[in-house]
Amino acid sequence: MELRQIEYFIEVAKREHMTEAAVALHVAQSAVSRQIYNLEEELGVPLFIREGRKIKLTTIGYTFLTNMEQAMDIIDRSKRELAESLNPEKGTIRIGFPSSLASYILPKVISDFREIYPQAKFTLKQGSYRYLIDSVIKGNINMALIGPLPANEKKIHGETLFIENLVALLSESHPLALKKSLNLNELRGNPFILYPKGYVLRDIVMKACKLHGFEPEVAFEGKDTDAIKGLVAAGLGVTLIPEISLIDSLPRFTVRLPLDEPSVTRAVGVIIPTERELMPTEKLFYRFLRETFATLEGFQ
């Protein structure tokens, strides 16, 4: 069994069409057909059912595809690891993040890291709390910035980087806008603008309000921080938002007010898998994150 045969098989299986697979592989259709025929002859089983120009996987073909995709992932990973071992400063970091860290934290750490390792590359994935956890477990990414750190997840290891405050964001026309700070209870009865259900920041806000004896009325939802800021700026409601997301981007027509005791906080950290090693370049970035946030003063 040759590596080229496996590559051709996977491409044909994905497209269910010899000609389309050949075009994608930049080879003649006859070469693809011959390699698939040779592979089936060697295995002694049909991998495809031919239906005119269309082909479909047999039952055993599906099983073989799953196994071969896993094998190719291992081969690709091994190639990357060998290349990065020779020069870890030129590798790729695959990292996920929530939208609340997209405007300042992530760009800042990437920029600072690339000042030291200018040839390092990044593959970025943005998503919800659960999506990031599952992506690290499944291997779609190898680390994620996340807050708070998940509990009772045996397949990931989490490390806190910093604790951040949530602050109130109001439109400048709001009756409370001229205050220097707020007690959370003062927002009782206001329409709230929050992330949709399933986003952990929504859960943090809902829990904090309930501890003060009220459940916020969610008037609007936004899937990213910029959308929530825009709705607040339009005077459609109030929100609680991570303070660090406003460092360089306080929207026009809004005011930011700190919350009096008790404060509302979240722990932001990084998660990595426990069942596989980080790639060499990712190890460099992971160490850089830990050292950078050892003192926030050096990061501001």
Side-chain angles (χ1 to χ4, degrees):
M1 189 185 307
E2 299 177 4
L3 186 60
R4 180 172 56 180
Q5 290 175 328
I6 304 306
E7 292 173 341
Y8 286 11
F9 164 73
I10 291 174
E11 195 65 39
V12 172
K14 287 186 338 189
R15 298 178 183 275
E16 296 186 337
H17 201 286
M18 287 283 187
T19 302
E20 292 180 5
V23 171
L25 293 164
H26 305 291
V27 297
Q29 179 182 331
S30 58
V32 176
S33 299
R34 183 170 61 255
Q35 292 297 337
I36 296 299
Y37 173 80
N38 291 341
L39 180 61
E40 290 179 317
E41 282 291 301
E42 180 179 345
L43 295 174
V45 294
L47 299 172
F48 295 99
I49 300 170
R50 276 74 174 175
E51 297 179 347
R53 293 187 177 183
K54 294 284 288 183
I55 58 176
K56 294 184 178 180
L57 285 168
T58 61
T59 300
I60 198 167
Y62 276 111
T63 301
F64 188 68
L65 174 62
T66 300
N67 292 335
M68 290 303 99
E69 286 180 326
Q70 293 174 352
M72 291 302 292
D73 284 343
I74 293 172
I75 291 172
D76 290 342
R77 180 179 175 84
S78 297
K79 288 180 178 179
R80 281 182 57 208
E81 190 162 0
L82 284 171
E84 290 185 16
S85 295
L86 295 173
N87 196 340
E89 297 181 8
K90 293 184 179 180
T92 300
I93 296 119
R94 297 185 298 160
I95 186 169
F97 61 98
S99 72
S100 61
L101 299 178
S103 62
Y104 182 76
I105 289 290
L106 188 65
K108 174 65 173 169
V109 294
I110 289 177
S111 176
D112 289 352
F113 183 76
R114 294 195 69 186
E115 284 187 9
I116 305 171
Y117 306 108
Q119 293 180 299
K121 298 175 285 293
F122 285 83
T123 299
L124 305 175
K125 296 281 187 180
Q126 181 176 329
S128 67
Y129 190 74
R130 189 67 244 178
Y131 169 83
L132 294 175
I133 295 170
D134 290 341
S135 294
V136 171
I137 291 173
K138 294 175 182 177
N140 299 325
I141 52 178
N142 278 337
M143 69 176 73
L145 296 176
I146 199 168
L149 291 175
N152 304 317
E153 293 283 352
K154 295 181 179 179
K155 294 185 177 182
I156 60 173
H157 167 74
E159 185 164 346
T160 298
L161 297 175
F162 63 95
I163 306 296
E164 70 170 333
N165 291 319
L166 271 65
V167 297
L169 188 68
L170 291 69
S171 71
E172 62 183 15
S173 61
H174 193 281
L176 298 172
L178 296 178
K179 298 194 65 164
K180 292 185 178 181
S181 63
L182 287 178
N183 185 286
L184 186 56
N185 196 52
E186 293 181 85
L187 296 178
R188 182 194 299 263
N190 281 270
F192 273 71
I193 301 166
L194 298 178
Y195 285 92
K197 291 181 179 178
Y199 283 72
V200 72
L201 274 174
R202 179 192 178 105
D203 296 337
I204 291 173
V205 175
M206 296 293 285
K207 181 178 180 180
C209 291
K210 287 180 180 178
L211 288 174
H212 280 70
F214 73 97
E215 183 167 340
E217 173 198 345
V218 182
F220 297 96
E221 296 177 343
K223 289 187 176 181
D224 61 66
T225 305
D226 286 339
I228 291 174
K229 291 177 184 177
L231 292 170
V232 172
L236 298 177
V238 302
T239 194
L240 301 186
I241 196 167
E243 185 174 23
I244 210 159
S245 68
L246 299 171
I247 286 179
D248 287 335
S249 56
L250 182 66
R252 294 177 62 192
F253 313 120
T254 66
V255 295
R256 171 184 58 193
L257 296 177
L259 295 173
D260 295 329
E261 292 294 334
S263 60
V264 181
T265 64
R266 71 164 176 171
V268 176
V270 58
I271 57 173
I272 60 174
T274 58
E275 297 183 345
R276 63 183 186 276
E277 288 282 325
L278 294 179
M279 301 293 285
T281 310
E282 291 168 336
K283 289 180 180 178
L284 280 180
F285 186 67
Y286 181 65
R287 184 166 64 247
F288 174 81
L289 282 175
R290 297 171 66 190
E291 292 172 353
T292 296
F293 287 100
T295 168
L296 266 180
E297 287 76 10
F299 183 75
Q300 297 293 341

